[in-house]
């Protein structure tokens, strides 16, 4: 009986394991090998050791990409998570929250190219809707996508709006898993709304917050579509991100080895941030409900 159950278990997870092997682990291993070669996408390749990695750390474009990506992450992660949490708390007890859940989730399933093109019109410095609205209240809006100071915040604005529905749905699921008895006991003790939120909602929601934080950080480091569609990395590479750098080296310069090296560095950076979060989770994540 146990053998039969184990067999069925392996059969059910088999497709997922095969997919993980074919589409994730093997490509990851091949990319690691390419990072030590000078392959240009055609013909044979030669082993060059660590020269591709050394070249990345001495390449000013790679340094620029790291700075831009970290700046983007600093904007997107805290603001996006805070807005999603506030929105989830606001909708948790509203009638017809299923409708609002679908409404706010719609941008998540919208094509990144479509969203980018729409925001190009909204953020246009000359005739964009946003600047027209700011002008009505006496504010002279900047050229969002052509000003080096505003281009990363503009892309971050798009990403926060785009991912708001996904994070909100995750937070709603976490809120619905908190027992009502905690709030009833706090009300009897005289706790107000803010005190209940601070001492009950936030602590019991930390596992959900931990998950959302990890996923948002990972997606922030992988930003590409928005910058590619809206600014093509400009102006003056002010929106040149790490994935954009990987793309440029692979499909513009055809230096696949250098591109793979940059991708491996990005992999290590994401892994490091994720491990740090897992290391710190014991200090702020509370699983007991």
């Amino acid at each position: 009986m146990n053998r039969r159950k184990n067999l069925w278990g392996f059969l059910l997870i088999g497709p997922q394991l095969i997919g993980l092997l074919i589409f994730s682990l093997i490509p990851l291993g091949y990319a690691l090998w390419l990072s030590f070669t000078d392959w240009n996408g055609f013909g044979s390749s030669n082993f060059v050791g660590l020269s591709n990695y050394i070249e990345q750390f001495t390449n000013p474009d790679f340094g620029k990409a790291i700075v831009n990506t970290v700046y983007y992450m600093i904007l997107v992660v805290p603001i996006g998570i805070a807005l999603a949490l506030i929105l989830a708390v606001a909708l948790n007890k509203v009638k017809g929250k299923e409708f609002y859940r679908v409404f706010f989730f719609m941008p998540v399933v919208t094509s990144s190219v479509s969203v980018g093109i729409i925001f190009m019109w909204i953020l246009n410095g000359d005739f964009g809707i946003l600047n027209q609205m700011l002008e009505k209240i006496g504010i002279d809006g900047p050229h969002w996508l052509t000003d080096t100071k505003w281009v990363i915040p503009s892309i971050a604005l798009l990403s926060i709006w785009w991912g708001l529905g996904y994070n909100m749905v995750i937070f709603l699921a976490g809120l619905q898993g908190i027992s009502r008895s905690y709030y009833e006991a706090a009300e009897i003790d005289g706790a107000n709304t803010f005190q209940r939120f601070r001492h009950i909602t936030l602590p019991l929601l930390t596992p959900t917050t931990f998950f959302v934080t990890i996923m948002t950080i990972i997606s922030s480091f992988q930003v590409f579509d928005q910058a590619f569609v809206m600014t093509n990395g400009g102006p003056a590479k002010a929106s040149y991100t790490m994935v954009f750098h990987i793309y440029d080296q692979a499909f513009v310069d055809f230096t696949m080895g250098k591109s793979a090296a940059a991708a491996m560095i990005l992999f290590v950076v994401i892994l490091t941030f994720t491990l740090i979060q897992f290391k710190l989770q014991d200090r702020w994540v509370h699983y007991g409900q």
Side-chain angles (χ1 to χ4, degrees):
M1 181 65 70
N2 289 332
R3 288 183 178 180
R4 184 176 299 176
K5 290 182 178 180
N6 292 336
L7 177 61
W8 275 108
F10 283 117
L11 287 175
L12 291 173
I13 67 173
Q16 295 293 333
L17 290 177
I18 294 173
L20 177 65
L21 179 66
I22 295 176
F23 298 108
S24 296
L25 297 182
I26 291 178
L28 179 62
Y30 187 61
L32 179 61
W33 161 250
L34 283 181
S35 68
F36 296 106
T37 69
D38 62 352
W39 191 52
N40 63 0
F42 305 95
S44 60
S45 60
N46 299 309
F47 183 79
V48 295
L50 296 174
S51 62
N52 287 333
Y53 291 91
I54 296 173
E55 194 275 339
Q56 292 302 315
F57 287 111
T58 57
N59 188 339
D61 287 343
F62 183 72
K64 183 72 173 177
I66 291 177
V67 172
N68 290 339
T69 305
V70 172
Y71 178 32
Y72 169 86
M73 183 197 70
I74 292 173
L75 292 176
V76 170
V77 174
I79 298 175
I81 293 175
L83 290 177
L85 176 58
I86 293 171
L87 188 60
V89 172
L91 295 181
N92 189 36
K93 297 181 181 180
V94 174
K95 291 184 179 180
K97 59 176 174 286
E98 292 79 10
F99 167 78
Y100 291 107
R101 186 185 306 170
V102 173
F103 179 79
F104 283 105
F105 196 80
M106 287 176 63
V108 180
V109 297
T110 305
S111 166
S112 60
V113 176
S114 302
V115 172
I117 293 174
I118 292 172
F119 266 78
M120 284 177 63
W121 286 94
I122 294 175
L123 299 175
N124 187 282
D126 297 321
F127 52 81
I129 298 174
L130 181 57
N131 276 3
Q132 291 181 14
M133 295 176 63
L134 291 175
E135 186 178 353
K136 290 183 179 180
I137 57 176
I139 299 176
D140 187 14
H143 287 75
W144 300 95
L145 300 178
T146 57
D147 190 332
T148 56
K149 296 179 180 179
W150 287 101
V151 63
I152 288 294
S154 300
I155 296 174
L157 175 65
L158 181 155
S159 300
I160 291 170
W161 173 82
W162 194 20
L164 185 64
Y166 175 83
N167 291 337
M168 182 207 68
V169 168
I170 300 298
F171 275 124
L172 272 175
L175 288 170
Q176 293 171 10
I178 299 177
S179 174
R180 177 62 189 167
S181 60
Y182 294 113
Y183 296 103
E184 293 173 351
E187 290 175 2
I188 293 173
D189 290 338
N192 57 34
T193 301
F194 176 75
Q195 290 172 330
R196 293 195 299 270
F197 175 77
R198 178 183 176 185
H199 297 289
I200 297 176
T201 304
L202 284 182
L204 296 182
L205 208 59
T206 49
T208 305
T209 306
F210 174 72
F211 171 79
V212 171
T213 302
I214 291 293
M215 298 304 295
T216 307
I217 289 175
I218 292 174
S219 64
S220 296
F221 274 107
Q222 295 176 335
V223 60
F224 171 74
D225 298 8
Q226 302 92 310
F228 183 78
V229 173
M230 297 172 65
T231 64
N232 198 29
K237 293 194 173 181
S239 60
Y240 191 74
T241 62
M242 293 182 71
V243 177
F244 208 116
H245 178 71
I246 294 170
Y247 166 83
D248 258 4
Q249 296 222 308
F251 301 108
V252 177
D253 300 334
F254 290 99
T255 53
M256 301 295 179
K258 294 178 182 179
S259 176
M264 288 298 103
I265 295 173
L266 176 59
F267 170 76
V268 172
V269 170
I270 294 175
L271 180 62
T272 300
F273 270 87
T274 304
L275 292 177
I276 291 173
Q277 287 293 321
F278 273 98
K279 186 68 175 180
L280 297 176
Q281 69 172 323
D282 293 335
R283 300 183 181 181
W284 64 280
V285 179
H286 309 279
Y287 289 100
Q289 293 192 17

